[in-house]
Amino acid sequence: MTTEADEQQAVEHVVSRLLERFPSLSEDHVHAIVDEEHHRFDGRPVRDFVPVLVEREARKRLKAEAKSVDVEPDAAALAAADEVRRADGAEVDPMELARRREVDGSDFLFGDLGGRAS
């Protein structure tokens, strides 16, 4: 189960990723869009996937307003972040796994058995 602090931290990561993807938009505007989308889920009992849903909807809205920039994830930074999370005893963020699958194009339906796409 996700705590409120974990959810807020994940939403801040969403803002960071969207700012990288839409550099022509102001930080305040991106924050406002993400906050609006986040508040749509207020009062909902299941919170585990709220950051994923917030990012998806905010990205759709921002994409309609500005041209996005393809952002290549820094593999070394991603690996280091995973090691820090595991050292702290935390599980890998499901939102991060979904984003990586989207970037890699890997999916269980297309022959990926949990490793890299062949």
Side-chain angles (χ1 to χ4, degrees):
M1 180 168 251
T2 305
T3 67
E4 190 173 329
D6 291 337
E7 182 178 310
Q8 191 58 41
Q9 183 180 18
V11 169
E12 288 302 320
H13 288 297
V14 166
V15 171
S16 297
R17 281 194 296 275
L18 292 174
L19 285 169
E20 287 178 11
R21 190 171 188 131
F22 299 98
S24 64
L25 298 175
S26 73
E27 185 173 347
D28 290 337
H29 183 65
V30 173
H31 268 286
I33 297 292
V34 170
D35 284 342
E36 286 175 21
E37 293 299 329
H38 190 215
H39 287 300
R40 287 182 51 217
F41 297 98
D42 287 350
R44 306 289 185 194
V46 179
R47 308 296 298 178
D48 292 339
F49 297 103
V50 167
V52 175
L53 299 171
V54 167
E55 183 168 12
R56 180 178 296 159
E57 293 304 314
R59 184 175 48 233
K60 284 180 190 176
R61 288 178 61 184
L62 294 170
K63 196 172 189 178
E65 296 176 18
K67 184 175 171 132
S68 67
V69 175
D70 289 332
V71 178
E72 278 295 317
D74 181 10
L78 291 174
D82 281 347
E83 289 304 317
V84 168
R85 281 190 213 104
R86 288 186 191 123
D88 290 340
E91 295 179 19
V92 176
D93 182 9
M95 184 170 65
E96 184 63 28
L97 292 176
R99 190 178 69 73
R100 287 186 194 172
R101 277 194 300 272
E102 188 177 295
V103 169
D104 292 343
S106 61
D107 193 345
F108 286 116
L109 295 176
F110 297 110
D112 180 17
L113 299 176
R116 292 285 180 208
S118 52

